[in-house]
Amino acid sequence: VTCTDSSCPETPRAPPNTKPRLNTTTSTDYNATAMAPIDDAIKDLKSRNLGKHFTLREVAKKYKVNYLTLRRRWRGVTAS
């Protein structure tokens, strides 16, 4: 039944405060891009000589990554 007068109910709409859904493709692309610097930092750490002094803070600063995240990744700590 098609309704054409003003007595017809409106089409249901999303509430005005509803946030748009996150596009999973974009999210995945961002995540892959965001992970590249920390992966580069880990490669740098693995390639260093054992006798050469370095700090994780220096490496984190060089690659512009969060020090604590780098430390957890370097130690192999996983989220619980």
Side-chain angles (χ1 to χ4, degrees):
V1 175
T2 305
C3 217
T4 57
D5 63 356
S6 62
S7 66
C8 294
E10 288 188 31
T11 307
R13 296 182 185 182
N17 294 341
T18 304
K19 293 181 182 178
R21 287 189 147 187
L22 185 62
N23 182 337
T24 56
T25 304
T26 304
S27 176
T28 304
D29 292 344
Y30 169 76
N31 211 10
T33 304
M35 294 303 290
I38 199 145
D39 290 335
D40 292 340
I42 295 291
K43 286 179 189 175
D44 184 347
L45 289 169
K46 288 180 179 179
S47 70
R48 290 179 180 252
N49 294 331
L50 293 176
K52 185 177 178 185
H53 175 74
F54 67 91
T55 66
L56 287 177
R57 288 190 190 278
E58 291 170 349
V59 176
K61 190 173 184 178
K62 176 181 175 182
Y63 288 94
K64 298 178 183 171
V65 297
N66 183 284
Y67 160 73
L68 293 175
T69 304
L70 179 60
R71 186 176 78 175
R72 282 192 296 270
R73 288 281 305 272
W74 180 240
R75 292 179 174 180
V77 176
T78 57
S80 56

